[in-house]
Amino acid sequence: MSRAVQLAALGLVGFGLPAWAVTLISDVRAQQLIVACAIVSFFGFLGTIYLVPKVAAKTQARGICGKDLNKKGTPAGDKPIPESAGLAPGCVFLLCVICFELLHYYDIGSLVGFVRSGFTGELKTESISEAWLVDYNAALATIGFMLFLGFSDDVLDIRWRVKLILPLFASLPLLVAYSGGTGIALPKPLAALGLPPYLELGILYKVYMVMLGIFCTNSINILAGVNGLEAGQTFIVACAVLLHNLLSVAGWPGWGAGGADAAAARDGHLFSAGLMLPLAATTFGLLVFNWYPSKVFVGDTFTYFAGMTIAVAGILGHFSETLLLFLLPQVRMAGWRARGERGKGRMRGYMAATGGGLGGWVAGARAVCEPVRDVRRGMYGLLPPRRLSCTAHVASPPARPPTRSSSFPYTQVFNFVYSLPQLFGIVHCPRHRLPVFDPATGLLRPKDAPDWNLVNLTLQLFGRCGENALCIRLLALQVASCALTFGLRYLLQGYYK
């Protein structure tokens, strides 16, 4: 299957179901806004295709480029590839969102008539609530801040101690502007235990918001290492979230809130759809260049921007619980970070020095979590490998709007248990967890020692394959995870909540 056919199939899978969901919306105003956003997003797709080569030429001229180690030993592996191409879709995305915000001031029907008449006649305006504008501008500030910090990370090689708190600073506009509920509605099965149906969290809910932002900004970055994987998974998740938003706006059976919360839930999903449409469109434009064989690398610029955009949509759209289920493969991956052989020896050394016991484990764990090498930087052959922490970035128990919130603690439990073998040196973990590339056959295979990441696990389960086939397998897993989320949400509606 050619490269163009693969991208066309991915686009059809991603955009097909949301396009169908738009036809289910009976509210004319909502449907018009979504169609207008889709038109703006289409121009964003074209703008990204135009801008990516320009940004790539500039970054390569400044030495922000690297080599793909998954092609080492071939002519393609010796060719420098521009980094930080995610700056192009990030800037275009912000422009699209600003244009979409501007469209909210006008009646779409009168705007269409105004354009058709040669820009003559009278434009009808629409009233917009002040709270909606505050949320929208806070989202723009947060995403723009994260885009800037991601690009700064690519250029300045920010140390891990500073890097970990970057999403915290980027989340400040969102925290200050957030005016929604800070409580969760507990699952119905817990009512039998005598727990209240509604639990007010107060400031803890805002702490959770920050942790969700930290998780999402790192989750895309963690599941990486294959051409097209970062942008591909972002595209699939964005389209899945968009489909969820549109079904909720349409009131599809099993979606959407009822009663007094219906209008608020609908507005939240419309808000999220206004973010996911341009994200999906600009990401697909980036995929045109990042798909195998990649002509550009997306860099932390894209992964930070994309992750924060998804987090903002989940928080302000009030469906963070469903969002974490869409990110289930990333939740699995977020529990580990690369740790060199020095970490294992350091753990044992501290255990011996402290005589074992709890103190030894604590001291050893701190030593293991000392800065370690970043696999992606070594993989792409960029600047000297930056330092990272192996601390697991796990979101707090997720929540939904005040009357529809709940938590899924099993994600944290699974994440912690999955991390233990590496954190305590039970399983050998090399510094670089990339598959082994065989120049003679052009195939990737896992290393002899098992590597605990999803990329290598896929090769262990399904056998060696080319880089392109590996990316398709991983994206198919992402699609299956999103489909499972839709199925669970539909089947548990009315029983779990």
Side-chain angles (χ1 to χ4, degrees):
M1 190 182 297
S2 68
R3 188 175 188 270
V5 173
Q6 291 177 2
L7 285 172
L10 182 61
L12 182 61
V13 171
F15 291 121
L17 287 176
W20 162 77
V22 173
T23 64
L24 303 177
I25 300 175
S26 58
D27 188 325
V28 177
R29 167 68 176 168
Q31 193 176 58
Q32 288 177 342
L33 283 174
I34 292 170
V35 172
C37 184
I39 294 173
V40 172
S41 300
F42 174 74
F43 284 104
F45 165 74
L46 298 179
T48 302
I49 290 180
Y50 171 79
L51 200 57
V52 167
K54 309 292 184 183
V55 172
K58 289 293 184 181
T59 56
Q60 188 166 15
R62 298 297 184 272
I64 309 176
C65 55
K67 298 178 181 179
D68 192 341
L69 295 186
N70 278 336
K71 300 179 181 66
K72 188 176 182 180
T74 66
D78 296 327
K79 179 182 177 182
I81 299 178
E83 255 278 12
S84 301
L87 184 63
C91 293
V92 174
F93 168 85
L94 292 175
L95 182 60
C96 289
V97 174
I98 293 172
C99 291
F100 186 52
E101 181 181 11
L102 181 63
L103 290 176
H104 277 74
Y105 285 96
Y106 300 99
D107 176 75
I108 302 299
S110 67
L111 182 61
V112 173
F114 179 77
V115 174
R116 286 181 175 177
S117 62
F119 301 96
T120 59
E122 183 180 356
L123 278 174
K124 296 181 181 179
T125 59
E126 294 279 349
S127 61
I128 302 177
S129 67
E130 185 176 346
W132 186 91
L133 286 176
V134 170
D135 284 349
Y136 220 97
N137 291 329
L140 279 171
T142 297
I143 297 170
F145 199 177
M146 202 69 245
L147 178 67
F148 165 73
L149 293 175
F151 184 68
S152 300
D153 190 17
D154 281 335
V155 174
L156 302 177
D157 192 28
I158 298 175
R159 297 189 62 166
W160 73 272
R161 292 179 180 86
V162 179
K163 182 177 178 178
L164 283 178
I165 63 174
L166 293 183
L168 170 61
F169 291 111
S171 300
L172 289 179
L174 190 63
L175 290 176
V176 173
Y178 183 76
S179 59
T182 56
I184 59 173
L186 297 179
K188 290 181 178 179
L190 294 181
L193 302 178
L195 296 177
Y198 179 82
L199 181 62
E200 177 62 40
L201 298 179
I203 191 65
L204 293 179
Y205 188 84
K206 293 196 173 183
V207 173
Y208 153 69
M209 290 170 55
V210 174
M211 296 181 72
L212 180 63
I214 292 174
F215 166 74
C216 288
T217 52
N218 286 277
S219 64
I220 304 297
N221 190 33
I222 289 171
L223 186 53
V226 179
N227 288 174
L229 183 55
E230 298 100 316
Q233 62 181 303
T234 299
F235 175 73
I236 292 172
V237 171
C239 290
V241 172
L242 176 61
L243 177 60
H244 171 64
N245 296 147
L246 297 179
L247 291 177
S248 299
V249 172
W252 187 255
W255 270 260
D261 297 312
R266 171 186 169 279
D267 290 344
H269 285 289
L270 274 176
F271 182 92
S272 174
L275 296 178
M276 291 298 101
L277 259 172
L279 177 63
T282 54
T283 300
F284 194 68
L286 177 62
L287 269 173
V288 173
F289 301 93
N290 185 239
W291 194 254
Y292 178 89
S294 180
K295 302 175 184 177
V296 297
F297 290 141
V298 299
D300 289 342
T301 305
F302 174 78
T303 57
Y304 281 14
F305 139 72
M308 184 57 76
T309 303
I310 293 172
V312 168
I315 292 171
L316 295 181
H318 305 292
F319 58 91
S320 55
E321 175 185 297
T322 304
L323 174 63
L324 285 178
L325 289 178
F326 283 135
L327 293 172
L328 193 58
Q330 288 82 357
V331 170
R332 178 186 179 94
M333 296 291 287
W336 47 262
R337 288 276 187 173
R339 176 181 54 81
E341 209 38 42
R342 291 176 57 192
K344 181 189 292 187
R346 191 177 299 162
M347 177 71 178
R348 292 170 179 164
Y350 272 81
M351 284 291 293
T354 55
L358 180 59
W361 281 109
V362 173
R366 288 176 178 172
V368 170
C369 291
E370 289 273 319
V372 293
R373 302 295 187 183
D374 181 1
V375 173
R376 287 187 71 247
R377 300 291 279 193
M379 175 200 325
Y380 294 147
L382 300 173
L383 304 173
R386 75 181 72 170
R387 295 178 175 269
L388 286 176
S389 166
C390 67
T391 305
H393 301 286
V394 185
S396 296
R400 305 184 73 178
T403 58
R404 299 179 59 80
S405 300
S406 64
S407 62
F408 274 78
Y410 60 77
T411 56
Q412 290 89 339
V413 174
F414 177 79
N415 199 31
F416 175 73
V417 173
Y418 188 71
S419 304
L420 287 179
Q422 286 189 318
L423 292 178
F424 295 111
I426 299 173
V427 176
H428 168 71
C429 181
R431 188 172 72 180
H432 297 297
R433 298 159 298 166
L434 291 176
V436 177
F437 176 72
D438 184 357
T441 62
L443 301 179
L444 296 172
R445 64 170 179 83
K447 298 175 181 177
D448 295 332
D451 288 331
W452 288 57
N453 62 35
L454 201 53
V455 173
N456 284 280
L457 180 61
T458 302
L459 291 172
Q460 293 170 20
L461 293 177
F462 300 102
R464 61 180 64 193
C465 64
E467 186 176 5
N468 184 227
L470 179 59
C471 180
I472 293 175
R473 291 177 181 179
L474 292 168
L475 294 184
L477 174 63
Q478 184 70 70
V479 172
S481 176
C482 293
L484 177 62
T485 299
F486 281 108
L488 287 175
R489 196 183 188 285
Y490 180 79
L491 294 175
L492 296 179
Q493 187 73 19
Y495 296 96
Y496 185 73
K497 291 293 190 65

